[in-house]
Amino acid sequence: MKSLLRGLLLLIPIACSNKSSSTDVDAGLSGSAACTDAATALCMLRTTCSDGFNISKSFPDMATCVSRTAQTCEVDLAAPGTGQSPGNIEACAAEYPSETCSDYFDGNPVASCEPPAGSGATGWPCGASAQCASTYCALSSAATCGACQPLPIAGASCTVAADCGRDLACATPASATTGTCAAYVGSAGACLTGVHPCEAGFACVGDDPTTSTNGACQPLAASAGAACDGARKTMPNCSGELGLACIPTAKGSAVGTCQMVQLAASGAACGDVGAAPITGVIDCEAGGECIKAGSAAMGTCVAAAGDGAACNSDTTVGPPCLAPAKCVPTGSASTIGTCTLPNATTCH
């Protein structure tokens, strides 16, 4: 389900290149209108690239996706040192429909949506990449403020995908806690889990990390009823971005057919349905999280907490926060925190 998580966790900030900006474009164009246009285009891309699953999994509805994405965009426009402008954002909104789904899920925005350079030097506080001269603000997964850093390149150290900036994966071997930023491998390319990752929409089939044996990137199964191999030994598994899971057809086998993941409301049962082999998968809707006791196969959906509410980044406890809010911990070693919307104007 790694590809599913990548798709669900990814909310690309609206940070658009100044290549298309001009004083004339900005004249008479409000930041609010531009941000709403760009947020609408981005949320439409999310739903188009996932057949609606990404929106249903992450938000109560499309309107919530648009409003929360636009809200963050508007705040970023007021950030100190930003190179952002309403004209840039409107240009980004116009180009979003041409973004490929693979590039979207891999964090590789179209040219007009790349962050423009700001005035922040390396080490300056930031909450948005458009504040930085390098066009990259390094942010931890549990913080809303970070520091301007050089744009990561292949080979840089990382712990999460965000550490690698744009269009690079954080390739982490199974036995390691840190990884290395690596370029994505395209169709039919040589791949190795944790070292040479396939781009979104593809699975690494036939690789063996224990012997460093490469596999080949093959398209993920993309329809209910399609044959799949959850272990990726003989064929690809299913597209998590499309809300599909590989359900084995026999006990002890990873080979099966793709089925739609069902989404349940807060308080409902969730997890892997049935004994080995499982007969289905239930996840949680609207940004909720499936909380399970110990190694139990089934659990209960817990709703995403609202802005300012208590949260827990420990996925076995919850609740999570509604995107793009982050669970900012109350202590340095704590997973308990408060749901906080990113606000680059507070980073100084």
Side-chain angles (χ1 to χ4, degrees), residues 130-325:
Q131 293 176 271
C132 304
S134 66
T135 73
Y136 175 66
C137 179
L139 285 164
S140 76
S141 59
T144 56
C145 292
C148 293
Q149 296 293 333
L151 187 65
I153 59 174
S157 178
C158 60
T159 55
V160 294
D163 294 338
C164 294
R166 300 185 288 277
D167 200 28
L168 290 174
C170 183
T172 307
S175 59
T177 56
T178 60
T180 302
C181 295
Y184 290 104
V185 179
S187 178
C191 55
L192 182 62
T193 301
V195 181
H196 303 301
C198 296
E199 65 183 28
F202 292 83
C204 189
V205 177
D207 71 321
D208 186 350
T210 63
T211 59
S212 297
T213 302
N214 288 336
C217 292
Q218 298 181 23
L220 289 163
S223 60
C228 60
D229 181 352
R232 300 177 289 100
K233 298 298 183 184
T234 60
M235 68 183 95
N237 50 352
C238 307
S239 172
E241 277 93 4
L242 296 176
L244 296 168
C246 190
I247 307 300
T249 53
K251 184 176 181 179
S253 174
V255 176
T257 57
C258 295
Q259 290 185 21
M260 285 299 303
V261 173
Q262 302 303 305
L263 295 178
S266 175
C270 54
D272 293 338
V273 180
I278 64 173
T279 58
V281 175
I282 302 175
D283 207 339
C284 305
E285 66 182 12
E289 198 158 64
C290 188
I291 305 300
K292 303 175 183 178
S295 59
M298 296 288 289
T300 303
C301 284
V302 173
D307 299 340
C311 56
N312 197 320
S313 59
D314 184 341
T315 58
T316 65
V317 180
C321 301
L322 185 63

Side-chain angles (χ1 to χ4, degrees), residues 20-30 85-91:
S20 303
S21 67
S22 70
T23 303
D24 291 339
V25 173
D26 285 339
L29 179 64
S30 75
S85 73
N88 296 347
I89 294 170
E90 196 64 45

